Amino acid sequence: MGALRPVGRTLLRDTAYAAIRDAIVCGELPPGEPVRDADLAGRLGLSRAPVRDALARLAEEGLVETKPQSYTRVTRLDPRAVREAAVVVRAMHELAARTGVPRLGPDGVTALREANDRFVRATRTGEVGEALRADDDLHDVLVRACGNRAVAATIARFTPLLRRLEWRRFAEAGALESAARHERLIDACAAGDADEAARITATIWHSLEDLADDPDGAAPVPGEQADPAPAGGGQDDVP
């Protein structure tokens, strides 16, 4: 089932944001795709107001670009933007590991193991979305444990740029290597070794910087034009 499906009626702006973001990350809305608030609102079963708010937020985060009175479209994959985001996300996760491990406790270690088990199962069955969700859940254990809201907000802000490229470059061999790194991270957390946990975390997220440097990883999708013509009013150009 696609990300763009009718949503519930609570926190509509946030729900619209999450649905459109996920559709961009997984490629349901591909790079260069024109997006119109009226079309998206119809697909999500919402009014246009929360969709407009969501598109404005996505534009701030680099997933959507808008030219006033002309178009709104999904941004193309930008290796430099991905690399810059990867550096920031790596630093935040290192901080989360260093400060979160002393506060983790046995339940936190169990949550890490359960998330990695889900990651491995999803990898073996080729469920890319589930694998990336499990990966997010694993690292989020340490983010929550560190208790720093600025860290959590920064990670949430920049991670979709990375996941978008990961989705396109997902491969079982690399994912299984990630699972092995996860195991080493979990062992360090279980031992209460915050420095080692931070070091392993840095290694995990540094690999995404390398992925951004791979020109094939950010190649245009088949059929994507270099500069498509404006779509005629990405947000319908009316109040």
Side-chain angles (χ1 to χ4, degrees):
M1 182 178 293
L4 294 173
R5 57 186 185 274
V7 298
R9 305 301 296 182
T10 58
L11 301 175
L12 298 183
R13 178 177 59 188
D14 292 340
T15 306
Y17 162 80
I20 300 168
R21 177 203 62 201
D22 291 349
I24 293 171
V25 169
C26 76
E28 184 178 345
L29 292 174
E33 175 85 358
V35 289
R36 299 177 178 85
D37 56 4
D39 293 342
L40 293 173
R43 295 171 70 177
L44 293 168
L46 297 173
S47 68
R48 289 165 58 182
V51 172
R52 284 185 168 180
D53 288 341
L55 289 175
R57 181 175 171 187
L58 290 164
E60 291 176 357
E61 296 181 359
L63 293 176
V64 164
E65 59 185 356
T66 298
K67 182 177 180 180
Q69 305 302 317
S70 183
Y71 63 79
T72 299
R73 65 191 178 195
V74 178
T75 56
R76 291 178 180 80
L77 291 165
D78 180 349
R80 178 178 177 180
V82 173
R83 191 181 309 112
E84 291 173 348
V87 170
V88 171
V89 170
R90 170 169 56 83
M92 293 298 97
H93 277 294
E94 281 186 76
L95 177 59
R98 197 174 301 279
T99 59
V101 166
R103 307 175 182 180
L104 195 58
D107 290 344
V109 174
T110 297
L112 289 169
R113 295 197 189 281
E114 290 175 347
N116 199 36
D117 287 346
R118 287 192 286 113
F119 178 82
V120 171
R121 288 196 300 271
T123 295
R124 289 174 175 167
T125 57
E127 298 175 83
V128 180
E130 180 56 34
L132 295 181
R133 280 188 290 273
D135 188 68
D136 282 338
D137 289 345
L138 184 148
H139 293 288
D140 192 49
V141 172
L142 287 169
V143 173
R144 292 197 309 271
C146 88
N148 188 319
R149 288 179 291 180
V151 166
T154 303
I155 288 172
R157 161 69 175 79
F158 290 103
T159 296
L161 289 173
L162 312 183
R163 292 309 192 203
R164 191 179 175 199
L165 182 56
E166 282 186 282
W167 193 291
R168 294 180 62 174
R169 297 287 292 162
F170 188 87
E172 182 175 352
L176 291 176
E177 182 179 352
S178 294
R181 291 193 185 111
H182 291 165
E183 288 291 350
R184 294 195 292 274
L185 172 61
I186 295 166
D187 289 343
C189 291
D193 191 338
D195 289 339
E196 178 66 2
R199 186 191 68 78
I200 296 169
T201 296
T203 299
I204 291 170
W205 290 98
H206 185 72
S207 66
L208 292 182
E209 298 171 47
D210 297 336
L211 187 64
D213 288 330
D214 179 357
D216 292 332
V221 295
E224 183 182 322
Q225 299 176 7
D227 188 16
Q235 295 186 33
D236 296 339
D237 300 324
V238 294

